[in-house]
Amino acid sequence: MSKQFGDAKFHKEGMVKDNAVEDYYIYSNINEIKEEDEKIKNQIDYFAKRDSLTGLYNRDYFLTLLEHQILQSDTDARGDRFSILMMNINEYREINEVLGYIIGDEILKEFGLRLRNSVQPKDMVARCEKDQFSILVPDIKDLEELRTKINRILDNISTPFIIGDNEFQITTSIGVSIYPDDGMESVSLIRKANIAMKKSREVDINESIVYRDSLDKETQEYFWMKNDLSKAISRGELFLNYQPIYEISTNSLVGVEALLRWNHKKRGIVLPSKFIPLAEKTGLIHSIGDWVLMNACKQNRTWQDQGYNPIYVSVNVSILQLEYPGFGEIVERILEESNLDSRYLHLEITETFFAQKCQLIEKTIKQLSSLGIKLSIDDFGTGYSSLSQLCQLNIHNLKIDRSFINGVDKNINKNKIVRAIISLAKSLNIKLIAEGVETWEQLKFLKENNCTMAQGYLFSGPAETEQIERMLMEYGKS
Ligand code: C2E
Ligand code: MG
Ligand code: MG
């Protein structure tokens, strides 16, 4: 380009004198064009690197800076650690939805400005996605220094944002990853900062969290579970164990509790406490819950068809299933399809949720009761259900949580609590089942205090269908 200009000048200088003025104009015009070109080039360059709303670096350029930083860093030399901070605006979605994107944009601009002002010029601040910002801190001497920087950011964000006539209290969650401790590639550093940011939001708003290895394991576990759980039913990986429930006065087997298991092809048997919360979070609880109900009812019907004395099967249901408007109809259909009489089906609801959502599920509970299904409050003693709730909703059984049974024969306080629960149940005409009975002493105490039923390792842990059949055999065929 410059050679062309040079050539043009030389050519013009060799021309006749009359052309000198014109020559001057052409020459100065070329210089202006050159300057203008340079300006445009700089502008294009600027916009290619910047986020147009906040003026901070954009995502693509942030990644380029990060790659460059990785290349520069000599991992052997101590002191060459650098860090990525990733943060978001916890309230952004609501503000955007309720007050509109114009206010939302103003919040983003102000947030970006405060970030920029909280750190040093050498720190590289970017807006990577909607309300997600990242900072590359090029050299960190120790975690303390980083912590001070993070605290300064949190301090600056905590002052209310004033946009027009509105005042907003904004909070942020910060995730941190450190090179080379948390990874030597941009992908893993970003991923880990992101995980830490999400975790930070779960733990506490306005709290920063430095990436830890255990977080990664937790997240990996979450992902394989989430992926595989949706296929567990179609792959035939779910199955039920049954734990026998005995009537204490007659020592006879009266029911079984269905307990769900997941046989994962790589990870073996996974217990419900691990995957039920995930199933609830992802909505899979509805299909899994239907599967459990159907299989438990069919199994109980099969035992009856085989000629064993009828017993009831007790199925744990999640509060989300009970909140689903068509749950009563689903249960009715399952009873019909499995051909099980409704008196042989009990449903267990954990006390904590029952107490919290009692009014919301009232209609469904009454519908289930009218079908002839018995309802049990599980883990009783751990929540705060009121007596009137229990009476109004026609609850049939209370299952005393195993934390009260454990030590009931030794601990005077537990002893008093269990006695009180037993007399409460009697006065309300509700049956009692003691969970987690493990010793003869516990059973003796329960018998002396007229507790109705018991289940626990003393009798049997959760067992396979065939084992239950052997127990039913002992109990006798009708
Ligand atoms: P839960 O309904 O209170 O079930 C009793 C739990 O205590 C079972 O654990 C059982 O194996 C265990 N257990 C029984 N007897 C004893 C004993 O003597 N000592 C001790 N230490 N433990 C005993 P599991 O099978 O791991 O189930 C845990 C929880 O998962 C259940 O607590 C229930 O809330 C939930 N769950 C199980 N199956 C299902 C299901 O199909 N749907 C739903 N929504 N939740 C389920
Ligand atoms: Mg239960
Ligand atoms: Mg329980």
Side-chain angles (χ1 to χ4, degrees):
M1 186 90 161
S2 65
K3 191 170 184 301
Q4 262 179 15
F5 276 116
D7 289 346
K9 192 178 159 214
F10 175 76
H11 175 70
K12 294 219 175 280
E13 271 171 357
M15 287 177 103
V16 280
K17 217 177 170 199
D18 284 357
N19 286 342
V21 177
E22 192 193 339
D23 224 19
Y24 169 78
Y25 281 114
I26 291 171
Y27 187 65
S28 64
N29 265 350
I30 286 170
N31 266 349
E32 270 171 28
I33 290 168
K34 219 172 130 186
E35 268 170 32
E36 196 58 27
D37 269 2
E38 204 59 35
K39 243 165 77 187
I40 292 170
K41 245 178 67 193
N42 285 342
Q43 274 175 353
I44 291 174
D45 205 35
Y46 179 88
F47 286 117
K49 291 174 183 169
R50 301 283 170 164
D51 163 48
S52 58
L53 185 71
T54 59
L56 299 173
Y57 292 129
N58 59 26
R59 185 175 176 278
D60 286 349
Y61 194 60
F62 183 78
L63 290 178
T64 311
L65 290 170
L66 178 57
E67 292 294 352
H68 183 71
Q69 185 70 38
I70 292 172
L71 273 179
Q72 265 195 345
S73 292
D74 174 1
T75 44
D76 293 334
R78 280 194 66 82
D80 258 335
R81 292 157 100 202
F82 69 85
S83 168
I84 293 179
L85 313 186
M86 203 169 272
M87 62 225 81
N88 68 341
I89 304 174
N90 291 323
E91 296 76 10
Y92 176 72
R93 230 183 89 197
E94 288 94 80
I95 291 175
N96 228 13
E97 277 171 8
V98 178
L99 297 169
Y101 73 93
I102 295 179
I103 302 265
D105 282 358
E106 290 304 314
I107 297 272
L108 289 173
K109 278 197 237 171
E110 177 67 20
F111 188 87
L113 189 67
R114 290 194 191 191
L115 284 188
R116 187 59 272 176
N117 291 340
S118 307
V119 295
Q120 291 164 281
K122 66 177 167 68
D123 299 328
M124 293 160 246
V125 188
R127 176 175 167 237
C128 289
E129 271 167 50
K130 268 184 253 161
D131 65 321
Q132 193 175 309
F133 295 76
S134 305
I135 304 179
L136 200 162
V137 182
D139 56 75
I140 44 166
K141 303 283 172 289
D142 54 39
L143 279 183
E144 219 28 65
E145 186 192 325
L146 195 60
R147 176 67 58 186
T148 313
K149 200 178 285 271
I150 290 168
N151 285 341
R152 203 175 318 120
I153 296 173
L154 291 174
D155 257 8
N156 284 345
I157 299 298
S158 68
T159 322
F161 283 45
I162 306 207
I163 313 285
D165 296 335
N166 300 308
E167 188 176 308
F168 300 97
Q169 195 65 55
I170 297 295
T171 62
T172 181
S173 310
I174 305 184
V176 181
S177 69
I178 293 167
Y179 172 96
D181 313 44
D182 297 322
M184 294 173 75
E185 285 163 5
S186 56
V187 179
S188 59
L189 287 166
I190 288 178
R191 188 173 64 86
K192 289 179 178 181
N194 208 358
I195 293 167
M197 180 182 77
K198 286 187 182 146
K199 201 72 196 171
S200 150
R201 192 164 28 185
E202 273 169 36
V203 177
D204 193 3
I205 50 172
N206 249 348
E207 181 54 62
S208 63
I209 189 163
V210 176
Y211 176 78
R212 281 178 286 124
D213 221 24
S214 57
L215 285 180
D216 198 26
K217 285 197 193 89
E218 250 175 62
T219 310
Q220 277 176 12
E221 187 159 89
Y222 176 84
F223 279 115
W224 72 252
M225 267 203 197
K226 195 172 159 203
N227 250 333
D228 296 355
L229 191 56
S230 58
K231 296 165 206 137
I233 295 181
S234 58
R235 286 179 178 162
E237 291 176 348
L238 295 183
F239 68 98
L240 293 173
N241 270 177
Y242 297 91
Q243 186 173 32
I245 298 169
Y246 285 85
E247 190 171 68
I248 297 178
S249 61
T250 58
N251 201 24
S252 50
L253 177 59
V254 287
V256 286
E257 176 174 2
L259 292 161
L260 183 59
R261 304 290 181 255
W262 176 14
N263 188 6
H264 189 277
K265 57 182 184 309
K266 282 201 199 123
R267 297 169 201 263
I269 306 291
V270 190
L271 288 174
S273 51
K274 277 240 161 198
F275 66 87
I276 292 284
L278 180 68
E280 289 178 330
K281 218 172 174 178
T282 52
L284 285 168
I285 192 67
H286 298 288
S287 51
I288 291 179
D290 291 356
W291 184 93
V292 172
L293 266 166
M294 180 61 94
N295 283 274
C297 289
K298 277 186 175 164
Q299 182 57 65
N300 202 15
R301 177 70 220 191
T302 306
W303 284 327
Q304 290 179 9
D305 290 344
Q306 287 169 350
Y308 298 112
N309 258 353
I311 56 170
Y312 70 81
V313 65
S314 196
V315 175
N316 293 283
V317 287
S318 155
I319 192 73
L320 296 179
Q321 289 172 272
L322 288 163
E323 280 178 328
Y324 181 73
F327 185 65
E329 284 75 28
I330 292 178
V331 178
E332 200 173 358
R333 182 179 52 79
I334 288 175
L335 284 171
E336 263 171 35
E337 240 175 85
S338 60
N339 202 18
L340 184 73
D341 192 314
S342 62
R343 69 189 141 138
Y344 298 119
L345 174 64
H346 289 199
L347 297 181
E348 297 190 11
I349 314 157
T350 308
E351 190 192 17
T352 331
F353 295 114
F354 173 75
Q356 282 168 8
K357 304 276 179 98
C358 187
Q359 279 168 345
L360 279 175
I361 56 172
E362 191 176 335
K363 206 174 136 226
T364 310
I365 289 192
K366 285 188 172 154
Q367 192 183 358
L368 293 167
S369 269
S370 71
L371 288 175
I373 293 163
K374 294 199 169 65
L375 296 154
S376 308
I377 301 296
D378 203 356
D379 305 337
F380 186 75
T382 56
Y384 299 94
S385 39
S386 74
L387 288 185
S388 63
Q389 284 170 343
L390 298 175
C391 291
Q392 261 174 25
L393 290 180
N394 217 355
I395 297 299
H396 297 84
N397 303 310
L398 295 184
K399 298 190 78 175
I400 315 176
D401 189 62
R402 78 164 181 266
S403 58
F404 295 101
I405 304 302
N406 175 16
V408 76
D409 47 325
K410 295 184 192 104
N411 182 321
I412 189 76
N413 286 332
K414 284 188 183 174
N415 183 305
K416 277 185 186 161
I417 294 170
V418 174
R419 271 179 214 262
I421 297 177
I422 294 174
S423 72
L424 162 82
K426 274 226 175 80
S427 67
L428 297 175
N429 209 14
I430 294 176
K431 290 204 165 116
L432 266 183
I433 302 162
E435 287 190 293
V437 180
E438 293 181 357
T439 67
W440 288 108
E441 289 74 22
Q442 290 164 0
L443 183 64
K444 188 165 166 269
F445 170 87
L446 294 165
K447 201 167 185 173
E448 281 168 4
N449 287 283
N450 297 318
C451 177
T452 337
M453 288 171 271
Q455 85 184 84
Y457 294 164
L458 179 66
F459 305 97
S460 161
E464 313 239 318
T465 316
E466 298 73 33
Q467 287 171 283
I468 297 291
E469 277 162 18
R470 279 198 288 277
M471 291 175 212
L472 282 166
M473 195 94 81
E474 244 178 75
Y475 176 68
K477 288 200 176 200
S478 55

